[in-house]
Amino acid sequence: MKAVAFTPREKGSLRIVEMDAPKASAGMVGVAPIRVGVCGTDQDILSGKYGESPKGSSFLVLGHESIGEVETVGTGVSGFSVGDLVVAMVRRPDDCPNCRAGEPDMCIKGDYKERGIKGLHGYLCEHYVEAPEYLVKLPPALREAGVLLEPLTVVAKGIRHAWSIQKRMKVWEPRKALVLGAGPVGQLATLLLRQRGLETTVVARHPSEDTASRMEAIGAEFIAELEKSGEQSVHLKDLPKMRGPFDFVFEATGAASVAMGAMRIIGTNGVVCLSSVTGGESEMEICPSCLNLELVLGNRTVFGTVNANRVDFEDGVRSLSEANKRWPGWLEGMISRHVPLDHFQDAYDDRKPGEIKLVIDL
């Protein structure tokens, strides 16, 4: 079978490889991927920042955002039938207490493995085999948009944890939310917050042409352009005066300056969820005493979200299904371009301005 693979930490090594198609043995499920999403994590891996091949392999098959169709069901497997739509989870546990308790997304040791990222081949291939406990079924109506489930789960986990954190108070009645960033994760965060009924403002530095109309379609307000040198724009510090105070801020820009700034604009008793990984060692001017004072005196909380639990995948299916009925076509509108497998390189090298989510069709 064909697969898209690369040699970890070796730039320019992305290529098509031929592999033996795996067979679904007893207790396993064979899946034929329909499409695989391309995201910032893939770009970071291909740039050589991280990535680890499976033991005994010189390469790693890419791809962790997927949707597929069950093609074979091993003996002893219940709950799955040939033709079912499924999304596979990404992380596999190690033996730490959290992993043993069913929360590999909160792993302590860090010896977990992740499909297409660390120690396990990904889903950008013509066939894969998976244990049923790592597969989540989707209804037929989500065949086109189901590839968005995995990135949505990271948001769902962040929101779930934020609401759990706020149980520290007897009364927390959030009304206003701010989403920083209007890429795939930012748009999915806006979707989930609107489904919760929050008055949501979205701000972006590099919006696509239709971002404003997409946000307005689900009842959110969009403000274009965070601060840019030499240009008139919205400054982060002015947002609370314009639309706040914010009870919840979800940061998804990938900019360290915005992540730090988000901590200073949250309202009293509010919570900030950081979802972007801001690598590098860029320097910036901050007022640490101001930040400390505001967090302490305002009873504010800041935390991060990465990966997701099975509960988030299952909640995500319900959210996607609800969105599909309430705002028909909105989810599909996130997918800017479909790239065929034989032209996979275009998905990584030929990014066009304003594109939201690229997928590779298998």
Side-chain angles (χ1 to χ4, degrees), residues 221-249:
E221 180 184 17
F222 178 67
I223 300 176
E225 304 292 350
L226 275 177
E227 49 209 272
K228 279 187 175 181
S229 178
E231 299 180 23
Q232 185 175 359
S233 59
V234 174
H235 290 270
L236 199 60
K237 61 181 177 61
D238 296 328
L239 288 174
K241 299 176 185 177
M242 296 171 59
R243 299 291 184 270
F246 298 109
D247 304 298
F248 178 65
V249 174

Side-chain angles (χ1 to χ4, degrees), residues 18 56 117 124 194 226 250 292 304 317 322 325 352 356:
E18 288 287 344
I117 302 172
L124 196 40
R194 288 297 302 130
L226 275 177
F250 190 94
N292 180 77
V317 173
E322 177 189 331
K325 295 175 182 177
K352 294 177 172 55
I356 306 172

Side-chain angles (χ1 to χ4, degrees), residues 65-356:
E65 300 179 357
S66 73
I67 183 171
E69 192 172 271
V70 172
E71 54 182 359
T72 54
V73 179
T75 57
V77 174
S78 61
F80 291 91
S81 301
V82 173
D84 284 345
L85 287 179
V86 293
V87 166
M89 298 169 64
V90 179
R91 184 172 289 188
R92 305 294 176 268
D94 60 24
D95 62 349
C96 79
N98 284 36
C99 287
R100 291 199 303 271
E103 289 191 317
D105 55 312
M106 305 301 289
C107 180
I108 299 171
K109 290 175 62 177
D111 291 334
Y112 56 80
K113 295 180 180 179
E114 291 181 319
R115 286 276 205 163
I117 302 172
K118 181 185 177 186
L120 290 174
H121 286 314
Y123 305 117
L124 196 40
C125 55
E126 293 179 305
H127 310 274
Y128 71 84
V129 168
E130 188 54 89
E133 59 263 35
Y134 299 119
L135 295 175
V136 181
K137 290 172 63 173
L138 280 74
L142 292 179
R143 186 180 184 90
E144 295 302 314
V147 71
L148 300 172
L149 177 59
E150 194 280 334
L152 181 138
T153 62
V154 178
V155 178
K157 173 187 172 180
I159 292 176
R160 175 171 62 88
H161 280 199
W163 263 246
S164 295
I165 287 169
Q166 294 302 75
K167 289 180 180 178
R168 63 192 173 132
M169 293 176 285
K170 292 182 178 180
V171 178
W172 188 59
E173 299 175 342
R175 295 188 304 109
K176 292 189 177 184
L178 173 66
V179 176
L180 298 170
V185 172
Q187 293 203 21
L188 291 170
T190 304
L191 175 70
L192 295 190
L193 291 167
R194 288 297 302 130
Q195 287 180 330
R196 282 180 173 262
L198 271 71
E199 181 182 323
T200 305
T201 301
V202 184
V203 184
R205 296 184 302 159
H206 306 294
S208 62
E209 291 183 0
D210 66 345
T211 299
S213 61
R214 285 186 53 76
M215 297 300 95
E216 291 168 3
I218 59 175
E221 180 184 17
F222 178 67
I223 300 176
E225 304 292 350
L226 275 177
E227 49 209 272
K228 279 187 175 181
S229 178
E231 299 180 23
Q232 185 175 359
S233 59
V234 174
H235 290 270
L236 199 60
K237 61 181 177 61
D238 296 328
L239 288 174
K241 299 176 185 177
M242 296 171 59
R243 299 291 184 270
F246 298 109
D247 304 298
F248 178 65
V249 174
F250 190 94
E251 186 280 323
T253 64
S257 59
V258 177
M260 293 299 298
M263 302 178 196
R264 301 201 60 189
I265 60 173
I266 190 65
T268 300
N269 297 336
V271 58
V272 177
C273 178
L274 306 177
S275 71
S276 58
V277 178
T278 54
E281 297 186 10
S282 58
E283 296 183 359
M284 67 184 75
E285 291 186 8
I286 62 171
C287 174
S289 59
C290 300
L291 181 59
N292 180 77
L293 183 71
E294 292 159 358
L295 290 176
V296 172
L297 296 185
N299 284 314
R300 298 172 173 98
T301 299
V302 181
F303 76 102
T305 179
V306 66
N307 199 258
N309 196 280
R310 186 176 185 90
V311 66
D312 304 309
F313 279 82
E314 293 172 347
D315 287 346
V317 173
R318 288 188 284 271
S319 294
L320 289 178
S321 297
E322 177 189 331
N324 215 31
K325 295 175 182 177
R326 187 173 176 186
W327 299 294
W330 193 90
L331 292 170
E332 289 84 349
M334 282 191 63
I335 301 176
S336 305
R337 184 155 50 107
H338 292 258
V339 178
L341 179 62
D342 289 341
H343 294 273
F344 71 93
Q345 196 74 51
D346 293 344
Y348 301 97
D349 295 345
D350 186 29
R351 298 301 295 270
K352 294 177 172 55
E355 289 186 320
I356 306 172

